[in-house]
Amino acid sequence: MFLVANWKMNMTRDRIGEYLSVLDQNGLSGILEGSTLEVALAPTHVYLDFVAEEVRRRHLPVKVFAQDVSTRTEGAFTGEVGVRNIQDAGATGSILGHSERRRYFGETDAGVTIKTGLCLNAGAIPVVCFGESLEERNAGATLSVLRQQLTCVADEVAGARKNGNDTPVFLAYEPVWAIGSGINASPDDIRNVLSAVSEGFPWPELPRFLYGGSVNLDNIGLLSGLKELSGFLVGGAWLDPDVFLDSVKALR
Ligand code: PEP
């Protein structure tokens, strides 16, 4: 299982230090030893380097992920952060197409597709987020929305595979209505969506799915029983290192 803590625009250098100390002092390495669990922390771009360095210094088995990358490779694009930059700062991959980027910052399906391709080409692991809003769900439009979000991404992955690219890809089902709301999708909701997305889209391989949306210590046990899931992408709950550790222990 792959567990990604999306810190969003939270955390400062001090708090990151404290967070990593809790993981270190409470034996994250020992907990993960011999298990198939892999964990990643996703700080804002400015702390990628710092988290990567601290994780290395403390010998913590933790990957570092970015929360977004640019649609451009390099050059005169003021304020942008490209795939090469995040890799240079120690990131293994990036979250892409998070609903907060779609909703507040004009992220488009075309942009997410370009970013997916750039990550794959660079050997950076994309975690592509998708999910419907409450209005779309209530209107019975979930599948058509997901088709719109993911068809081009599936084509992009298929094209990369044809060219011999074998960088792993994760798809994170994050229903917008479940993010930060305290209401998680039910196992049936998740199962239905994942089976429709697996079967109805041109994936070159069986997709690896994460789930995100109000995951916490009370529901992670139940949700982890879903054999369709390869892990979780969690925001609010995993800003607390003790909850993160307890979640890892619960899944161990
Ligand atoms: C997220 O934003 O990716 C997320 C899943 O948030 P939360 O866990 O707070 O619902």
Side-chain angles (χ1 to χ4, degrees):
M1 281 222 154
F2 186 39
L3 312 178
V4 186
N6 178 10
W7 284 350
K8 311 192 184 190
M9 203 171 72
N10 295 296
M11 306 296 267
T12 50
R13 200 169 282 262
D14 286 355
R15 282 193 57 203
I16 292 170
E18 285 163 21
Y19 195 109
L20 297 179
S21 293
V22 171
L23 302 191
D24 201 1
Q25 285 158 17
N26 291 280
L28 178 70
S29 305
I31 296 166
L32 291 179
E33 206 174 290
S35 89
T36 54
L37 288 173
E38 290 194 276
V39 304
L41 301 173
T44 62
H45 287 142
V46 284
Y47 298 125
L48 285 172
D49 229 336
F50 176 60
V51 177
E53 192 48 48
E54 281 296 296
V55 158
R56 234 185 336 260
R57 190 174 68 76
R58 296 166 193 256
H59 305 291
L60 282 168
V62 170
K63 292 188 166 54
V64 182
F65 267 60
Q67 298 174 14
D68 189 26
V69 296
S70 178
T71 53
R72 309 300 181 125
T73 4
E74 69 174 26
F77 303 107
T78 303
E80 288 292 275
V81 177
V83 180
R84 275 199 214 144
N85 301 127
I86 64 149
Q87 288 181 307
D88 196 34
T92 305
S94 182
I95 298 167
L96 301 177
H98 191 281
S99 66
E100 287 154 12
R101 296 224 57 83
R102 293 176 191 265
R103 193 199 297 183
Y104 303 124
F105 303 103
E107 180 78 279
T108 62
D109 300 325
V112 176
T113 305
I114 291 170
K115 293 173 182 189
T116 303
L118 290 176
C119 278
L120 291 176
N121 277 342
I125 298 173
V127 174
V128 181
C129 301
F130 67 99
E132 79 287 1
S133 68
L134 190 58
E135 297 71 38
E136 290 159 347
R137 175 180 158 93
N138 289 341
T142 298
L143 267 189
S144 63
V145 169
L146 303 190
R147 185 161 289 116
Q148 178 118 9
Q149 291 177 348
L150 289 176
T151 303
C152 289
V153 173
D155 285 338
E156 188 73 24
V157 177
R161 296 297 186 243
K162 257 189 210 139
N163 291 329
N165 186 295
D166 61 359
T167 306
V169 176
F170 288 93
L171 303 177
Y173 176 45
E174 296 217 313
V176 181
W177 48 270
I179 295 178
S181 66
I183 303 167
N184 60 283
S186 71
D188 276 348
D189 286 331
I190 299 172
R191 201 178 285 117
N192 290 339
V193 164
L194 300 195
S195 82
V197 169
S198 295
E199 285 157 23
F201 298 65
W203 303 111
E205 67 223 6
L206 203 61
R208 272 185 272 192
F209 291 110
L210 309 183
Y211 168 76
S214 295
V215 173
N216 56 40
L217 276 175
D218 292 332
N219 58 31
I220 199 163
L222 177 69
L223 295 174
S224 67
L226 279 166
K227 65 173 178 17
E228 294 84 351
L229 284 182
S230 299
F232 296 97
L233 173 58
V234 179
W238 288 354
L239 286 175
D240 179 336
D242 291 305
V243 175
F244 179 71
L245 260 181
D246 286 345
S247 305
V248 175
K249 283 186 203 156
L251 295 171
R252 174 76 169 81

